[in-house]
Amino acid sequence: MLFGIAFDLPILHASRLATRFATEPRVTSTRTRALDIPLAKFAIAQPIVTPNATGHPNTIDNGIRASATLTCTIRKLMLARTRTPAAYKAANTAVSAKSLVCSFTFFHLSRRGLYHEAERVEMSPTHPPLMLSESGYWLKTFCGCLLEFSFLQHSYTVMKQLDRAINLERGSTMPTIKREQWSRHFGKWFRRILIEAGIMDYRYPVKGMAVWLPYGFKIRRNMLQTLRSLLDATGHNEMLFPLLIPEASLAKESEHMKNFEGQVFWITKGGLTDLDVKLALRPTSETVIAPMLKLWIRSHADLPLKMYQIVNVFRYETKATRPLIRMREVDNFKEAHTVHATEAEADAQIKEAIEIYKKFFDTAAAPYKMTKRPVWDKFAGAEYSIAFDQILPDGRVLQSGTVHKLGQKFSKAFSVTYETEKGDREYVWQTCYGISGRPIVGMLAAHGDDNGAVLPPTMAPTQVVIIPIPFKGMEKEIDEACQAVADSLRKADIRTEFDRRENVTPGAKYYYWELRGVPLRVEIGPRDLKQGQVMIVRRDTMEKQACKMDDTPKVVKETIKTMMENMKQKAWQWMNEHVHRVGSLDEAKRLTKHKAGIVEVLWCGNAECGHKLEAETEASVLGTPEDSEEKAKGKCVVCGKNAEDILRLAIAY
Ligand code: 5CA
Ligand code: ZN
């Protein structure tokens, strides 16, 4: 049974994981309140360290030790909370029985008190691998043989929550975060959020084009402004180039043309007249910029040139179009182009670009993996490309930005040269990097839940919404208090909305703002007014916290900071759990088949083996890690020769 486990997270719902199984397991769940156990006593209860199934003691940090047993009819496996998932390895259990029955019991500490929860799951041993990573858990079963549990929340958070739970009066609402729709029907969830939260209307009568709605436009503006500031601060100049490219220009760099020709929208007519020169709608702007560089660059003194533009580009995408993910009018395309005298300077620029993008994603608290694309999938006309990939809740990977070393390919094609100090003429070196609206997808996906979007405060158009809880006879006072709090928040530069709509109930307002992902809700009701306090509710955890009315700006600021950290950590953790290192092609196949995120294998470096991997796994090779120094040790999973590198695979968008 149970030895003592404390955490303030929504409990793992067996029913949720159950539905992921090929055959529906039977689940029964009961939740009862176990108030007879004094909270304070529980908090200081001595840990019981029990060896897990592999004989290692459960390693738990910071003094809170939690262990509970997971009993199943075949064998007992242990539950443990650890700092890193890798630190805990459960045992392999040979399963011969027809079914596996797990029953587990948790003590679940919530603000209402201590709950006792028992769940029972019955499943067949032939279930496919299961990945689950919601509510701070992960669980894997490999053909029903291996059960692995980790509690991923860092103990300090647990400690804090424990303290808070003890101090809080009993009876407040229990936070519940559900991510069922989010993970199981991500496409549907995403389209729903876009339209219902007022972000984007995708029903425009031209495929791959959409309308930004006011709320979405504000999110877009915050994202854009973040990148703009980062580029401005590093000496990039914003410019604006024309939309149309004469055919001859586009065709100048052969590799570029070959790749893009199938994706270009052409203008062939001006009114009723056929044009002499076909004009392309820019699919990207290397060939727009190059002819101008030739005019602008004379000597080394004109270099480096660092510029960017934020425009719409057009690509006749043949794969299924999806809002923000694959547009034909790629709006909000932030493309930077740089020109240098030497290769070393271009290489340094690549590093700077990567740093800029890292900061950009970090500001959105959105996690990413950096991967160098294989030669067969680099940007057309580049020497190499480094991508920022994000894993979406459905386990598929989205390329959310790329940095390319163009080298001298375009400068040679367009004869862009400069005079060196010695008086020779040299071709310039170029880089370019671009980000579309895709990081908005990455951000929404990273933090969202079944109630809607959860926006990081940095990107949220509204950071705090104030909702009055009306009470007969006190309407005026409550309204005035809300107004005063709104004023104090605005004064402190917090983007604040006071929802004064009279014909809408507080509940409907909660729903409305939760869907839009507003980070904090401040409620003021008659009781709060009497006590000179407000209630602050966090969107990411749904936790409630009372604070003195006068302290609201201070507490809001602190909470925003904590939220950013928590959201970032949770999202990174989720992503890291979806990066799997496997030792064989079969394992890789099984994981890609189930869209389990990114799969890493050892690779000899041969393109042939890379292609074979793609064919066998029906996944895309993302490339080699750019975010790890790790040296590959072992054999290529395809040919068995010595491995040169690690190769990442995924089902890509
Ligand atoms: N000229 C270079 C750098 S600006 C370039 O065009 N690179 S790119 O083709 O890789 O595009 C940059 C980023 O735009 C991609 O990494 C991807 O995240 C995004 N992107 C590309 N095509 C689309 C599309 N059809 N819809 C939405 N985003 C797209
Ligand atoms: Zn090989």
Side-chain angles (χ1 to χ4, degrees):
M1 266 293 286
L2 174 117
F3 300 113
I5 173 160
F7 48 93
D8 189 9
L9 290 164
I11 207 87
L12 171 72
H13 286 289
S15 53
R16 184 188 309 159
L17 67 96
T19 39
R20 296 237 187 139
F21 283 71
T23 48
E24 288 284 313
R26 259 176 301 151
V27 180
T28 46
S29 176
T30 55
R31 178 178 280 207
T32 52
R33 200 158 161 178
L35 283 176
D36 46 337
I37 300 168
L39 288 176
K41 196 170 162 196
F42 181 73
I44 53 157
Q46 277 306 302
I48 299 166
V49 181
T50 338
N52 63 22
T54 44
H56 296 291
N58 293 322
T59 46
I60 290 142
D61 44 350
N62 270 6
I64 291 193
R65 307 198 180 204
S67 67
T69 51
L70 167 71
T71 52
C72 58
T73 51
I74 296 145
R75 188 161 172 178
K76 263 188 182 178
L77 292 170
M78 298 304 302
L79 283 158
R81 187 173 56 73
T82 66
R83 195 170 274 281
T84 55
Y88 180 79
K89 287 264 173 281
N92 267 306
T93 312
V95 179
S96 53
K98 282 234 173 65
S99 73
L100 175 69
V101 181
C102 302
S103 58
F104 33 99
T105 312
F106 300 100
F107 271 135
H108 176 200
L109 185 68
S110 79
R111 294 224 220 93
R112 282 220 196 123
L114 206 54
Y115 279 80
H116 173 264
E117 181 151 359
E119 285 183 338
R120 196 179 129 91
V121 189
E122 264 180 64
M123 47 194 159
S124 107
T126 49
H127 292 304
L130 167 82
M131 302 297 142
L132 183 123
S133 166
E134 293 149 339
S135 321
Y137 287 85
W138 64 294
L139 161 77
K140 284 183 189 175
T141 74
F142 289 108
C143 301
C145 303
L146 174 67
L147 270 173
E148 201 169 341
F149 271 79
S150 287
F151 290 81
L152 297 165
Q153 197 69 353
H154 283 195
S155 62
Y156 78 92
T157 326
V158 175
M159 189 73 117
K160 270 211 306 232
Q161 287 172 344
L162 204 55
D163 285 348
R164 208 180 303 145
I166 291 161
N167 293 333
L168 266 176
E169 56 172 71
R170 287 177 188 175
S172 61
T173 46
M174 193 171 79
T176 48
I177 305 294
K178 272 178 71 182
R179 280 184 140 184
E180 211 168 297
Q181 294 301 317
W182 173 85
S183 63
R184 287 178 48 214
H185 307 288
F186 175 69
K188 205 167 140 202
W189 178 90
F190 180 61
R191 285 190 298 275
R192 175 184 156 227
I193 301 305
L194 285 186
I195 191 90
E196 288 184 15
I199 296 170
M200 178 173 267
D201 194 335
Y202 197 60
R203 293 170 298 180
Y204 188 71
V206 180
K207 196 174 150 159
M209 302 186 184
V211 180
W212 280 99
L213 300 171
Y215 189 68
F217 195 80
K218 287 176 188 146
I219 299 173
R220 177 189 184 273
R221 193 162 58 190
N222 288 344
M223 293 289 267
L224 208 137
Q225 199 47 43
T226 301
L227 192 65
R228 194 179 249 136
S229 307
L230 288 164
L231 290 169
D232 289 347
T234 42
H236 296 73
N237 287 305
E238 186 166 358
M239 296 173 72
L240 197 52
F241 288 84
L243 165 68
L244 303 181
I245 313 173
E247 187 177 17
S249 286
L250 190 69
K252 262 202 169 124
E253 208 290 319
S254 56
E255 211 180 298
H256 190 71
M257 179 60 178
K258 208 170 131 228
N259 187 73
F260 276 111
E261 78 188 335
Q263 289 184 48
V264 170
F265 282 99
W266 290 103
I267 296 183
T268 55
K269 274 195 169 186
L272 299 174
T273 316
D274 287 335
L275 297 180
D276 311 341
V277 176
K278 268 208 303 186
L279 298 170
L281 295 187
R282 64 180 160 223
T284 172
S285 305
E286 284 70 23
T287 60
V288 180
I289 292 168
M292 302 311 291
L293 295 179
K294 200 169 152 58
L295 302 175
W296 296 335
I297 298 165
R298 292 270 159 261
S299 81
H300 59 89
D302 299 321
L303 298 173
L305 264 180
K306 289 162 74 171
M307 55 202 148
Y308 71 98
Q309 64 171 355
I310 300 170
V311 292
N312 295 9
V313 297
F314 295 83
R315 296 185 182 181
Y316 182 72
E317 295 281 2
T318 46
K319 278 198 196 171
T321 53
R322 288 169 205 273
L324 287 174
I325 292 175
R326 182 164 288 101
M327 304 287 276
R328 285 187 170 170
E329 179 177 14
V330 188
D331 89 306
N332 182 17
F333 193 71
K334 303 164 273 290
E335 51 175 328
H337 296 264
T338 72
V339 193
H340 308 269
T342 65
E343 180 168 25
E345 281 177 38
D347 289 341
Q349 192 54 45
I350 296 281
K351 291 208 173 85
E352 184 182 86
I354 288 172
E355 286 312 307
I356 290 169
Y357 281 1
K358 277 162 94 173
K359 281 187 192 148
F360 172 71
F361 284 104
D362 287 347
T363 309
Y368 50 83
K369 286 304 253 186
M370 289 176 357
T371 307
K372 190 178 198 167
R373 289 282 179 262
V375 275
W376 63 90
D377 192 30
K378 63 183 174 58
F379 177 69
E383 278 186 18
Y384 64 76
S385 302
I386 294 168
F388 283 71
D389 291 315
Q390 302 190 285
I391 307 177
L392 301 192
D394 57 5
R396 292 173 71 178
V397 166
L398 183 68
Q399 170 183 305
S400 284
T402 26
V403 178
H404 312 287
K405 181 175 176 183
L406 299 176
Q408 292 180 312
K409 291 197 183 192
F410 286 91
S411 65
K412 286 187 174 156
F414 284 84
S415 307
V416 185
T417 60
Y418 73 98
E419 193 178 295
T420 64
E421 278 175 72
K422 286 189 205 138
D424 307 327
R425 291 214 77 81
E426 286 275 0
Y427 289 108
V428 297
W429 293 85
Q430 287 175 269
T431 80
C432 70
Y433 24 104
I435 280 190
S436 67
R438 283 186 185 177
I440 297 180
V441 184
M443 174 178 74
L444 291 171
H447 310 300
D449 63 26
D450 287 357
N451 288 352
V454 180
L455 295 179
T458 43
M459 297 299 172
T462 299
Q463 293 169 309
V464 177
V465 60
I466 299 176
I467 297 181
I469 315 294
F471 190 74
K472 238 189 153 108
M474 283 179 79
E475 292 89 347
K476 194 162 167 281
E477 283 158 279
I478 291 173
D479 185 75
E480 281 169 4
C482 288
Q483 191 58 58
V485 171
D487 290 344
S488 71
L489 288 170
R490 287 187 187 127
K491 225 170 159 182
D493 281 332
I494 295 157
R495 298 189 287 273
T496 307
E497 192 84 41
F498 172 20
D499 190 346
R500 290 177 84 168
R501 289 176 295 171
E502 273 175 14
N503 48 354
V504 183
T505 62
K509 289 180 184 176
Y510 296 169
Y511 177 84
Y512 180 92
W513 294 105
E514 274 170 18
L515 183 66
R516 280 159 183 74
V518 172
L520 294 172
R521 175 170 91 215
V522 169
E523 302 168 7
I524 305 177
R527 217 177 56 184
D528 302 310
L529 207 58
K530 267 191 204 128
Q531 295 176 355
Q533 66 171 34
V534 303
M535 258 312 165
I536 299 178
V537 187
R538 266 173 72 162
R539 174 64 184 89
D540 61 333
T541 56
M542 297 299 209
E543 284 173 320
K544 270 190 174 188
Q545 170 191 6
C547 108
K548 282 217 298 239
M549 207 170 276
D550 295 344
D551 290 345
T552 316
K554 187 175 130 248
V555 176
V556 162
K557 281 208 160 154
E558 284 165 6
T559 313
I560 281 178
K561 219 170 137 210
T562 321
M563 251 182 108
M564 277 306 292
E565 279 164 25
N566 292 170
M567 286 173 73
K568 196 170 154 184
Q569 192 236 326
K570 181 176 158 195
W572 273 90
Q573 202 151 22
W574 186 91
M575 185 196 68
N576 288 333
E577 288 155 28
H578 289 77
V579 179
H580 313 273
R581 176 69 58 84
V582 301
S584 73
L585 192 56
D586 279 348
E587 270 182 276
K589 261 195 230 173
R590 207 177 51 207
L591 289 173
T592 51
K593 190 170 166 216
H594 291 281
K595 299 195 193 84
I598 293 178
V599 178
E600 294 181 340
V601 295
L602 293 178
W603 176 50
C604 62
N606 257 320
E608 210 179 297
C609 285
H611 293 311
K612 245 187 212 160
L613 263 170
E614 286 189 316
E616 291 266 338
T617 57
E618 293 176 49
S620 306
V621 162
L622 300 177
T624 51
E626 265 298 312
D627 41 17
S628 133
E629 300 286 306
E630 189 188 335
K631 289 266 165 290
K633 266 195 242 126
K635 308 280 179 212
C636 172
V637 290
V638 183
C639 68
K641 291 199 188 118
N642 272 347
E644 288 285 313
D645 229 323
I646 290 152
L647 203 62
R648 290 184 176 149
L649 289 159
I651 305 291
Y653 263 100

